[in-house]
Amino acid sequence: MKINKTGLLSGLVVAGSLFASISSASADTIKVGIANFGEHPQLNAAIAGFKEAMAENGFVEGTDVTYSESHTNFDASLVPQMITKLQAENPKLIYTVTTPVSQIAKQILAGSDIPIVFSAVTDPVAAKLVPSWDAGDTNMTGASDLQDIAAVLEFTRKLLPDAKRLAIPYNPGEANDVALLEKVKELAPAAGFSVVSVGIDNVNDILQRITSVAGKADVIYTPASNLIQPAIAAVSAAARQIGVPIVNSDSSAVANGTVPASFSVDYGQVGLNAGKIAAEILKGKSPADIPPSAPTYETHAPMISKSAAAAFGIEIPASFDDCGCIVE
């Protein structure tokens, strides 16, 4: 998916880039703000899961709770404006989606009495959102989308048994990406991989940076990056030019045939985890007493595209014949 650059035009900063959908409700409902980075299947699923868990825990939309939703079309410069706008609505809680949004929300809301629940944050400790994996911060906790990297590497080895060099495109300016790269470097040798890091901080550099791994990598793993995932079609096109297959962190790009395979976190489940935490806070529990949650192995799932695998020259091993994970 490519970022809609129309929303990034300066003339549309207020009217176009900051999208909001504020539900009408009676004065009796609790107000909850939702600050999203941009429209994307993974992030939208995290919001849907959040609302589902809230409803399951006694906070039904329109009856018990009213949501005020905003996103900035992946324009980080607009995030402070979005958070300030939501704060002015005096919500009982703000739900932040992605690391950049959560970090800015923490800064702006410091000292306020508005609790924050985050999701789609890979490493909340490295991002300085919480003090450790064992406790929340004074006014912030949430649900991580941290993938089981050992399982990702195991899946990649099973799919491409002869691959030895693993390339990781990442944004050096995003804490999520850097944390994941370090985790891959730590675990890759045990899975028989060396790691080639590919720093990309601008979508316009994708073609040049991805094609630069020609002859240096046998497979590319594309993480749940706010820069990489919205531009996964461009990443895949560049990878096809050099004949290096992709294992993605998002299954939607496999379902539509953009990339050959994925081993992905269920972002609906990440949202469910965050919604359960938000309900606990709204019922009186302190965020500091709620450790951030992380997906378990069972919340990951493989998917392989037969057509994309063929386009990348991958012969799907017989060990996947009965996986129920192959799509056309």
Side-chain angles (χ1 to χ4, degrees):
M1 175 184 294
K2 293 183 178 180
I3 296 175
N4 180 1
K5 292 184 174 57
T6 304
L8 304 181
L9 294 176
S10 59
L12 298 178
V13 163
V14 175
S17 291
L18 185 60
F19 296 88
S21 173
I22 304 174
S23 306
S24 60
S26 70
D28 296 329
T29 60
I30 292 172
K31 292 182 180 179
V32 172
I34 297 178
N36 190 12
F37 204 16
E39 293 284 349
H40 184 275
Q42 290 176 325
L43 307 186
N44 295 344
I47 292 173
F50 176 84
K51 291 182 177 181
E52 181 182 339
M54 285 279 284
E56 289 174 351
N57 285 273
F59 297 95
V60 178
E61 185 173 6
T63 302
D64 309 290
V65 62
T66 300
Y67 295 110
S68 179
E69 299 183 48
S70 295
H71 74 78
T72 65
N73 207 21
F74 300 99
D75 188 339
S77 69
L78 295 179
V79 174
Q81 177 185 349
M82 174 175 64
I83 300 300
T84 301
K85 173 183 173 296
L86 290 173
Q87 181 183 17
E89 295 170 8
N90 297 314
K92 292 293 184 182
L93 180 143
I94 290 181
Y95 175 47
T96 57
V97 186
T98 73
T99 298
V101 172
S102 301
Q103 289 175 317
I104 293 171
K106 184 174 183 178
Q107 294 172 4
I108 291 176
L109 299 176
S112 77
D113 60 355
I114 302 173
I116 306 167
V117 174
F118 60 75
S119 79
V121 171
T122 299
D123 191 334
V125 179
K128 299 182 180 179
L129 300 178
V130 294
S132 74
W133 283 99
D134 299 318
D137 201 8
T138 304
N139 224 31
M140 188 178 212
T141 188
S144 167
D145 62 359
L146 182 66
Q147 289 194 294
D148 186 329
I149 297 301
V152 171
L153 295 171
E154 180 183 344
F155 168 78
T156 304
R157 167 63 61 224
K158 185 177 177 182
L159 179 66
L160 299 163
D162 296 326
K164 296 179 180 179
R165 301 166 297 177
L166 177 69
I168 309 289
Y170 75 107
N171 180 359
E174 187 169 335
N176 269 4
D177 291 25
V178 175
L180 183 136
L181 174 63
E182 292 307 311
K183 192 67 175 178
V184 173
K185 286 181 177 179
E186 175 189 341
L187 298 175
F193 289 108
S194 60
V195 176
V196 180
S197 56
V198 186
I200 304 173
D201 55 15
N202 189 308
V203 292
N204 295 324
D205 295 333
I206 285 175
L207 177 62
Q208 177 187 353
R209 300 292 171 81
I210 295 298
T211 54
S212 74
V213 305
K216 302 174 185 177
D218 306 308
V219 58
I220 297 170
Y221 174 64
T222 42
S225 163
N226 290 310
L227 185 146
I228 301 297
Q229 288 304 320
I232 191 63
V235 175
S236 182
R240 280 191 65 177
Q241 284 190 25
I242 58 175
V244 179
I246 290 175
V247 172
N248 196 34
S249 57
D250 175 19
S251 62
S252 62
V254 183
N256 64 23
T258 301
V259 300
S262 66
F263 192 80
S264 61
V265 169
D266 180 346
Y267 276 77
Q269 182 63 52
V270 174
L272 280 167
N273 293 343
K276 292 174 185 176
I277 290 171
E280 288 187 80
I281 293 171
L282 291 172
K283 290 177 181 178
K285 193 166 184 178
S286 169
D289 295 331
I290 306 175
S293 70
T296 62
Y297 179 86
E298 289 71 25
T299 58
H300 294 68
M303 183 180 290
I304 302 170
S305 166
K306 188 182 295 185
S307 60
F312 275 87
I314 298 173
E315 184 176 342
I316 302 173
S319 56
F320 288 99
D321 288 350
D322 299 320
C323 71
C325 62
I326 299 175
V327 299
E328 291 300 323

PDB file of all heavy atoms in Angstrom, residues 187-221:
ATOM      1  N   LEU A 187      19.085 -13.110  17.012  1.00  0.00           N
ATOM      2  CA  LEU A 187      18.572 -14.467  16.842  1.00  0.00           C
ATOM      3  C   LEU A 187      18.927 -15.122  15.511  1.00  0.00           C
ATOM      4  O   LEU A 187      18.844 -16.340  15.378  1.00  0.00           O
ATOM      5  CB  LEU A 187      17.042 -14.456  17.006  1.00  0.00           C
ATOM      6  CG  LEU A 187      16.514 -14.003  18.370  1.00  0.00           C
ATOM      7  CD1 LEU A 187      14.988 -13.932  18.354  1.00  0.00           C
ATOM      8  CD2 LEU A 187      16.985 -14.940  19.470  1.00  0.00           C
ATOM      9  N   ALA A 188      19.303 -14.336  14.512  1.00  0.00           N
ATOM     10  CA  ALA A 188      19.532 -14.866  13.170  1.00  0.00           C
ATOM     11  C   ALA A 188      20.612 -15.947  13.100  1.00  0.00           C
ATOM     12  O   ALA A 188      20.426 -16.959  12.400  1.00  0.00           O
ATOM     13  CB  ALA A 188      19.860 -13.725  12.204  1.00  0.00           C
ATOM     14  N   PRO A 189      21.747 -15.798  13.778  1.00  0.00           N
ATOM     15  CA  PRO A 189      22.791 -16.825  13.656  1.00  0.00           C
ATOM     16  C   PRO A 189      22.320 -18.222  14.036  1.00  0.00           C
ATOM     17  O   PRO A 189      22.691 -19.203  13.380  1.00  0.00           O
ATOM     18  CB  PRO A 189      23.876 -16.323  14.614  1.00  0.00           C
ATOM     19  CG  PRO A 189      23.693 -14.848  14.639  1.00  0.00           C
ATOM     20  CD  PRO A 189      22.209 -14.646  14.578  1.00  0.00           C
ATOM     21  N   ALA A 190      21.491 -18.329  15.059  1.00  0.00           N
ATOM     22  CA  ALA A 190      20.997 -19.646  15.482  1.00  0.00           C
ATOM     23  C   ALA A 190      20.106 -20.285  14.425  1.00  0.00           C
ATOM     24  O   ALA A 190      19.985 -21.515  14.371  1.00  0.00           O
ATOM     25  CB  ALA A 190      20.231 -19.517  16.799  1.00  0.00           C
ATOM     26  N   ALA A 191      19.511 -19.442  13.572  1.00  0.00           N
ATOM     27  CA  ALA A 191      18.664 -19.956  12.496  1.00  0.00           C
ATOM     28  C   ALA A 191      19.445 -20.128  11.194  1.00  0.00           C
ATOM     29  O   ALA A 191      18.861 -20.485  10.165  1.00  0.00           O
ATOM     30  CB  ALA A 191      17.476 -19.018  12.270  1.00  0.00           C
ATOM     31  N   GLY A 192      20.751 -19.843  11.230  1.00  0.00           N
ATOM     32  CA  GLY A 192      21.583 -20.026  10.044  1.00  0.00           C
ATOM     33  C   GLY A 192      21.591 -18.853   9.096  1.00  0.00           C
ATOM     34  O   GLY A 192      21.910 -19.003   7.911  1.00  0.00           O
ATOM     35  N   PHE A 193      21.266 -17.646   9.591  1.00  0.00           N
ATOM     36  CA  PHE A 193      21.236 -16.460   8.732  1.00  0.00           C
ATOM     37  C   PHE A 193      22.280 -15.438   9.174  1.00  0.00           C
ATOM     38  O   PHE A 193      22.496 -15.233  10.369  1.00  0.00           O
ATOM     39  CB  PHE A 193      19.863 -15.766   8.800  1.00  0.00           C
ATOM     40  CG  PHE A 193      18.747 -16.511   8.128  1.00  0.00           C
ATOM     41  CD1 PHE A 193      17.762 -17.128   8.901  1.00  0.00           C
ATOM     42  CD2 PHE A 193      18.656 -16.580   6.751  1.00  0.00           C
ATOM     43  CE1 PHE A 193      16.716 -17.810   8.296  1.00  0.00           C
ATOM     44  CE2 PHE A 193      17.615 -17.262   6.132  1.00  0.00           C
ATOM     45  CZ  PHE A 193      16.637 -17.873   6.914  1.00  0.00           C
ATOM     46  N   SER A 194      22.884 -14.776   8.200  1.00  0.00           N
ATOM     47  CA  SER A 194      23.592 -13.532   8.451  1.00  0.00           C
ATOM     48  C   SER A 194      22.624 -12.407   8.094  1.00  0.00           C
ATOM     49  O   SER A 194      21.680 -12.618   7.322  1.00  0.00           O
ATOM     50  CB  SER A 194      24.861 -13.428   7.609  1.00  0.00           C
ATOM     51  OG  SER A 194      24.542 -13.473   6.221  1.00  0.00           O
ATOM     52  N   VAL A 195      22.820 -11.221   8.650  1.00  0.00           N
ATOM     53  CA  VAL A 195      21.857 -10.130   8.481  1.00  0.00           C
ATOM     54  C   VAL A 195      22.472  -8.979   7.699  1.00  0.00           C
ATOM     55  O   VAL A 195      23.593  -8.543   7.983  1.00  0.00           O
ATOM     56  CB  VAL A 195      21.346  -9.628   9.847  1.00  0.00           C
ATOM     57  CG1 VAL A 195      20.414  -8.427   9.675  1.00  0.00           C
ATOM     58  CG2 VAL A 195      20.633 -10.750  10.593  1.00  0.00           C
ATOM     59  N   VAL A 196      21.723  -8.498   6.705  1.00  0.00           N
ATOM     60  CA  VAL A 196      22.107  -7.320   5.927  1.00  0.00           C
ATOM     61  C   VAL A 196      21.095  -6.233   6.241  1.00  0.00           C
ATOM     62  O   VAL A 196      19.923  -6.347   5.881  1.00  0.00           O
ATOM     63  CB  VAL A 196      22.106  -7.622   4.411  1.00  0.00           C
ATOM     64  CG1 VAL A 196      22.497  -6.384   3.619  1.00  0.00           C
ATOM     65  CG2 VAL A 196      23.005  -8.796   4.080  1.00  0.00           C
ATOM     66  N   SER A 197      21.506  -5.190   6.955  1.00  0.00           N
ATOM     67  CA  SER A 197      20.580  -4.107   7.304  1.00  0.00           C
ATOM     68  C   SER A 197      20.523  -3.092   6.159  1.00  0.00           C
ATOM     69  O   SER A 197      21.539  -2.747   5.558  1.00  0.00           O
ATOM     70  CB  SER A 197      21.002  -3.434   8.605  1.00  0.00           C
ATOM     71  OG  SER A 197      22.323  -2.963   8.527  1.00  0.00           O
ATOM     72  N   VAL A 198      19.298  -2.615   5.872  1.00  0.00           N
ATOM     73  CA  VAL A 198      19.084  -1.685   4.756  1.00  0.00           C
ATOM     74  C   VAL A 198      18.310  -0.480   5.292  1.00  0.00           C
ATOM     75  O   VAL A 198      17.092  -0.501   5.415  1.00  0.00           O
ATOM     76  CB  VAL A 198      18.281  -2.347   3.615  1.00  0.00           C
ATOM     77  CG1 VAL A 198      18.195  -1.406   2.415  1.00  0.00           C
ATOM     78  CG2 VAL A 198      18.898  -3.670   3.223  1.00  0.00           C
ATOM     79  N   GLY A 199      19.037   0.578   5.631  1.00  0.00           N
ATOM     80  CA  GLY A 199      18.398   1.768   6.175  1.00  0.00           C
ATOM     81  C   GLY A 199      17.668   2.551   5.099  1.00  0.00           C
ATOM     82  O   GLY A 199      18.226   2.853   4.048  1.00  0.00           O
ATOM     83  N   ILE A 200      16.396   2.873   5.368  1.00  0.00           N
ATOM     84  CA  ILE A 200      15.578   3.661   4.439  1.00  0.00           C
ATOM     85  C   ILE A 200      14.798   4.674   5.265  1.00  0.00           C
ATOM     86  O   ILE A 200      13.969   4.294   6.092  1.00  0.00           O
ATOM     87  CB  ILE A 200      14.589   2.786   3.641  1.00  0.00           C
ATOM     88  CG1 ILE A 200      15.315   1.676   2.883  1.00  0.00           C
ATOM     89  CG2 ILE A 200      13.766   3.642   2.667  1.00  0.00           C
ATOM     90  CD1 ILE A 200      14.375   0.675   2.203  1.00  0.00           C
ATOM     91  N   ASP A 201      15.046   5.967   5.060  1.00  0.00           N
ATOM     92  CA  ASP A 201      14.305   6.969   5.824  1.00  0.00           C
ATOM     93  C   ASP A 201      13.413   7.838   4.939  1.00  0.00           C
ATOM     94  O   ASP A 201      12.801   8.798   5.405  1.00  0.00           O
ATOM     95  CB  ASP A 201      15.245   7.850   6.643  1.00  0.00           C
ATOM     96  CG  ASP A 201      16.321   8.516   5.802  1.00  0.00           C
ATOM     97  OD1 ASP A 201      16.187   8.529   4.559  1.00  0.00           O
ATOM     98  OD2 ASP A 201      17.302   9.025   6.382  1.00  0.00           O
ATOM     99  N   ASN A 202      13.309   7.459   3.668  1.00  0.00           N
ATOM    100  CA  ASN A 202      12.462   8.210   2.736  1.00  0.00           C
ATOM    101  C   ASN A 202      11.926   7.235   1.689  1.00  0.00           C
ATOM    102  O   ASN A 202      12.694   6.463   1.110  1.00  0.00           O
ATOM    103  CB  ASN A 202      13.288   9.319   2.071  1.00  0.00           C
ATOM    104  CG  ASN A 202      12.437  10.276   1.258  1.00  0.00           C
ATOM    105  OD1 ASN A 202      11.654   9.871   0.412  1.00  0.00           O
ATOM    106  ND2 ASN A 202      12.596  11.568   1.519  1.00  0.00           N
ATOM    107  N   VAL A 203      10.622   7.272   1.452  1.00  0.00           N
ATOM    108  CA  VAL A 203      10.026   6.329   0.489  1.00  0.00           C
ATOM    109  C   VAL A 203      10.611   6.499  -0.907  1.00  0.00           C
ATOM    110  O   VAL A 203      10.617   5.549  -1.698  1.00  0.00           O
ATOM    111  CB  VAL A 203       8.483   6.477   0.438  1.00  0.00           C
ATOM    112  CG1 VAL A 203       7.857   6.011   1.730  1.00  0.00           C
ATOM    113  CG2 VAL A 203       8.074   7.913   0.120  1.00  0.00           C
ATOM    114  N   ASN A 204      11.113   7.677  -1.212  1.00  0.00           N
ATOM    115  CA  ASN A 204      11.687   7.911  -2.536  1.00  0.00           C
ATOM    116  C   ASN A 204      12.993   7.155  -2.748  1.00  0.00           C
ATOM    117  O   ASN A 204      13.471   7.037  -3.882  1.00  0.00           O
ATOM    118  CB  ASN A 204      11.927   9.406  -2.749  1.00  0.00           C
ATOM    119  CG  ASN A 204      10.639  10.207  -2.771  1.00  0.00           C
ATOM    120  OD1 ASN A 204       9.625   9.736  -3.268  1.00  0.00           O
ATOM    121  ND2 ASN A 204      10.673  11.405  -2.211  1.00  0.00           N
ATOM    122  N   ASP A 205      13.573   6.641  -1.660  1.00  0.00           N
ATOM    123  CA  ASP A 205      14.840   5.923  -1.754  1.00  0.00           C
ATOM    124  C   ASP A 205      14.656   4.409  -1.820  1.00  0.00           C
ATOM    125  O   ASP A 205      15.648   3.665  -1.865  1.00  0.00           O
ATOM    126  CB  ASP A 205      15.728   6.253  -0.550  1.00  0.00           C
ATOM    127  CG  ASP A 205      16.150   7.711  -0.528  1.00  0.00           C
ATOM    128  OD1 ASP A 205      16.215   8.322  -1.611  1.00  0.00           O
ATOM    129  OD2 ASP A 205      16.420   8.231   0.577  1.00  0.00           O
ATOM    130  N   ILE A 206      13.412   3.936  -1.805  1.00  0.00           N
ATOM    131  CA  ILE A 206      13.154   2.494  -1.722  1.00  0.00           C
ATOM    132  C   ILE A 206      13.788   1.725  -2.877  1.00  0.00           C
ATOM    133  O   ILE A 206      14.470   0.716  -2.662  1.00  0.00           O
ATOM    134  CB  ILE A 206      11.643   2.217  -1.644  1.00  0.00           C
ATOM    135  CG1 ILE A 206      11.131   2.571  -0.244  1.00  0.00           C
ATOM    136  CG2 ILE A 206      11.324   0.749  -1.978  1.00  0.00           C
ATOM    137  CD1 ILE A 206       9.639   2.464  -0.081  1.00  0.00           C
ATOM    138  N   LEU A 207      13.569   2.174  -4.093  1.00  0.00           N
ATOM    139  CA  LEU A 207      14.098   1.452  -5.254  1.00  0.00           C
ATOM    140  C   LEU A 207      15.614   1.303  -5.161  1.00  0.00           C
ATOM    141  O   LEU A 207      16.156   0.200  -5.310  1.00  0.00           O
ATOM    142  CB  LEU A 207      13.706   2.166  -6.545  1.00  0.00           C
ATOM    143  CG  LEU A 207      14.261   1.555  -7.840  1.00  0.00           C
ATOM    144  CD1 LEU A 207      13.742   0.125  -8.029  1.00  0.00           C
ATOM    145  CD2 LEU A 207      13.887   2.415  -9.046  1.00  0.00           C
ATOM    146  N   GLN A 208      16.301   2.406  -4.895  1.00  0.00           N
ATOM    147  CA  GLN A 208      17.761   2.375  -4.842  1.00  0.00           C
ATOM    148  C   GLN A 208      18.271   1.482  -3.710  1.00  0.00           C
ATOM    149  O   GLN A 208      19.189   0.678  -3.880  1.00  0.00           O
ATOM    150  CB  GLN A 208      18.301   3.790  -4.657  1.00  0.00           C
ATOM    151  CG  GLN A 208      19.821   3.864  -4.510  1.00  0.00           C
ATOM    152  CD  GLN A 208      20.298   5.267  -4.155  1.00  0.00           C
ATOM    153  OE1 GLN A 208      19.523   6.207  -4.149  1.00  0.00           O
ATOM    154  NE2 GLN A 208      21.579   5.391  -3.850  1.00  0.00           N
ATOM    155  N   ARG A 209      17.654   1.611  -2.518  1.00  0.00           N
ATOM    156  CA  ARG A 209      18.146   0.878  -1.355  1.00  0.00           C
ATOM    157  C   ARG A 209      17.865  -0.622  -1.464  1.00  0.00           C
ATOM    158  O   ARG A 209      18.710  -1.452  -1.101  1.00  0.00           O
ATOM    159  CB  ARG A 209      17.525   1.445  -0.079  1.00  0.00           C
ATOM    160  CG  ARG A 209      17.851   2.912   0.156  1.00  0.00           C
ATOM    161  CD  ARG A 209      19.324   3.148   0.463  1.00  0.00           C
ATOM    162  NE  ARG A 209      19.666   4.556   0.476  1.00  0.00           N
ATOM    163  CZ  ARG A 209      19.456   5.392   1.494  1.00  0.00           C
ATOM    164  NH1 ARG A 209      18.895   4.935   2.597  1.00  0.00           N
ATOM    165  NH2 ARG A 209      19.807   6.642   1.405  1.00  0.00           N
ATOM    166  N   ILE A 210      16.676  -0.979  -1.943  1.00  0.00           N
ATOM    167  CA  ILE A 210      16.344  -2.405  -2.045  1.00  0.00           C
ATOM    168  C   ILE A 210      17.184  -3.076  -3.126  1.00  0.00           C
ATOM    169  O   ILE A 210      17.716  -4.179  -2.930  1.00  0.00           O
ATOM    170  CB  ILE A 210      14.842  -2.608  -2.325  1.00  0.00           C
ATOM    171  CG1 ILE A 210      14.002  -2.108  -1.134  1.00  0.00           C
ATOM    172  CG2 ILE A 210      14.535  -4.080  -2.599  1.00  0.00           C
ATOM    173  CD1 ILE A 210      14.251  -2.840   0.158  1.00  0.00           C
ATOM    174  N   THR A 211      17.322  -2.427  -4.269  1.00  0.00           N
ATOM    175  CA  THR A 211      18.112  -3.048  -5.342  1.00  0.00           C
ATOM    176  C   THR A 211      19.601  -3.119  -4.984  1.00  0.00           C
ATOM    177  O   THR A 211      20.345  -3.901  -5.574  1.00  0.00           O
ATOM    178  CB  THR A 211      17.939  -2.290  -6.671  1.00  0.00           C
ATOM    179  OG1 THR A 211      18.250  -0.898  -6.481  1.00  0.00           O
ATOM    180  CG2 THR A 211      16.510  -2.407  -7.186  1.00  0.00           C
ATOM    181  N   SER A 212      20.015  -2.348  -3.978  1.00  0.00           N
ATOM    182  CA  SER A 212      21.427  -2.382  -3.573  1.00  0.00           C
ATOM    183  C   SER A 212      21.815  -3.697  -2.905  1.00  0.00           C
ATOM    184  O   SER A 212      23.005  -3.980  -2.749  1.00  0.00           O
ATOM    185  CB  SER A 212      21.730  -1.225  -2.613  1.00  0.00           C
ATOM    186  OG  SER A 212      21.181  -1.457  -1.326  1.00  0.00           O
ATOM    187  N   VAL A 213      20.822  -4.528  -2.516  1.00  0.00           N
ATOM    188  CA  VAL A 213      21.154  -5.809  -1.870  1.00  0.00           C
ATOM    189  C   VAL A 213      21.316  -6.936  -2.882  1.00  0.00           C
ATOM    190  O   VAL A 213      21.517  -8.093  -2.498  1.00  0.00           O
ATOM    191  CB  VAL A 213      20.103  -6.210  -0.800  1.00  0.00           C
ATOM    192  CG1 VAL A 213      19.927  -5.108   0.224  1.00  0.00           C
ATOM    193  CG2 VAL A 213      18.769  -6.593  -1.430  1.00  0.00           C
ATOM    194  N   ALA A 214      21.237  -6.614  -4.168  1.00  0.00           N
ATOM    195  CA  ALA A 214      21.453  -7.636  -5.197  1.00  0.00           C
ATOM    196  C   ALA A 214      22.807  -8.292  -4.997  1.00  0.00           C
ATOM    197  O   ALA A 214      23.831  -7.616  -4.868  1.00  0.00           O
ATOM    198  CB  ALA A 214      21.381  -7.006  -6.589  1.00  0.00           C
ATOM    199  N   GLY A 215      22.815  -9.628  -4.915  1.00  0.00           N
ATOM    200  CA  GLY A 215      24.038 -10.368  -4.703  1.00  0.00           C
ATOM    201  C   GLY A 215      24.509 -10.412  -3.263  1.00  0.00           C
ATOM    202  O   GLY A 215      25.491 -11.084  -2.937  1.00  0.00           O
ATOM    203  N   LYS A 216      23.786  -9.713  -2.371  1.00  0.00           N
ATOM    204  CA  LYS A 216      24.169  -9.665  -0.959  1.00  0.00           C
ATOM    205  C   LYS A 216      23.155 -10.343  -0.050  1.00  0.00           C
ATOM    206  O   LYS A 216      23.430 -10.553   1.129  1.00  0.00           O
ATOM    207  CB  LYS A 216      24.343  -8.212  -0.508  1.00  0.00           C
ATOM    208  CG  LYS A 216      25.357  -7.409  -1.295  1.00  0.00           C
ATOM    209  CD  LYS A 216      25.348  -5.954  -0.854  1.00  0.00           C
ATOM    210  CE  LYS A 216      26.275  -5.098  -1.709  1.00  0.00           C
ATOM    211  NZ  LYS A 216      26.205  -3.661  -1.311  1.00  0.00           N
ATOM    212  N   ALA A 217      21.950 -10.630  -0.584  1.00  0.00           N
ATOM    213  CA  ALA A 217      20.885 -11.214   0.234  1.00  0.00           C
ATOM    214  C   ALA A 217      20.139 -12.280  -0.552  1.00  0.00           C
ATOM    215  O   ALA A 217      20.002 -12.192  -1.779  1.00  0.00           O
ATOM    216  CB  ALA A 217      19.918 -10.125   0.695  1.00  0.00           C
ATOM    217  N   ASP A 218      19.657 -13.280   0.171  1.00  0.00           N
ATOM    218  CA  ASP A 218      18.874 -14.360  -0.442  1.00  0.00           C
ATOM    219  C   ASP A 218      17.384 -14.206  -0.167  1.00  0.00           C
ATOM    220  O   ASP A 218      16.554 -14.810  -0.855  1.00  0.00           O
ATOM    221  CB  ASP A 218      19.337 -15.712   0.111  1.00  0.00           C
ATOM    222  CG  ASP A 218      20.831 -15.909  -0.059  1.00  0.00           C
ATOM    223  OD1 ASP A 218      21.317 -15.732  -1.195  1.00  0.00           O
ATOM    224  OD2 ASP A 218      21.505 -16.233   0.940  1.00  0.00           O
ATOM    225  N   VAL A 219      17.040 -13.430   0.838  1.00  0.00           N
ATOM    226  CA  VAL A 219      15.641 -13.205   1.203  1.00  0.00           C
ATOM    227  C   VAL A 219      15.565 -11.876   1.953  1.00  0.00           C
ATOM    228  O   VAL A 219      16.529 -11.452   2.592  1.00  0.00           O
ATOM    229  CB  VAL A 219      15.085 -14.366   2.071  1.00  0.00           C
ATOM    230  CG1 VAL A 219      15.906 -14.539   3.347  1.00  0.00           C
ATOM    231  CG2 VAL A 219      13.612 -14.164   2.405  1.00  0.00           C
ATOM    232  N   ILE A 220      14.414 -11.212   1.837  1.00  0.00           N
ATOM    233  CA  ILE A 220      14.175  -9.944   2.526  1.00  0.00           C
ATOM    234  C   ILE A 220      13.024 -10.139   3.507  1.00  0.00           C
ATOM    235  O   ILE A 220      11.965 -10.656   3.133  1.00  0.00           O
ATOM    236  CB  ILE A 220      13.816  -8.819   1.537  1.00  0.00           C
ATOM    237  CG1 ILE A 220      14.990  -8.541   0.580  1.00  0.00           C
ATOM    238  CG2 ILE A 220      13.407  -7.546   2.273  1.00  0.00           C
ATOM    239  CD1 ILE A 220      14.630  -7.616  -0.581  1.00  0.00           C
ATOM    240  N   TYR A 221      13.231  -9.721   4.744  1.00  0.00           N
ATOM    241  CA  TYR A 221      12.124  -9.715   5.712  1.00  0.00           C
ATOM    242  C   TYR A 221      11.708  -8.272   5.921  1.00  0.00           C
ATOM    243  O   TYR A 221      12.511  -7.432   6.318  1.00  0.00           O
ATOM    244  CB  TYR A 221      12.527 -10.339   7.046  1.00  0.00           C
ATOM    245  CG  TYR A 221      11.428 -10.198   8.090  1.00  0.00           C
ATOM    246  CD1 TYR A 221      10.197 -10.817   7.919  1.00  0.00           C
ATOM    247  CD2 TYR A 221      11.617  -9.410   9.220  1.00  0.00           C
ATOM    248  CE1 TYR A 221       9.183 -10.664   8.850  1.00  0.00           C
ATOM    249  CE2 TYR A 221      10.608  -9.253  10.156  1.00  0.00           C
ATOM    250  CZ  TYR A 221       9.390  -9.878   9.963  1.00  0.00           C
ATOM    251  OH  TYR A 221       8.376  -9.722  10.878  1.00  0.00           O
TER     252      TYR A 221
END
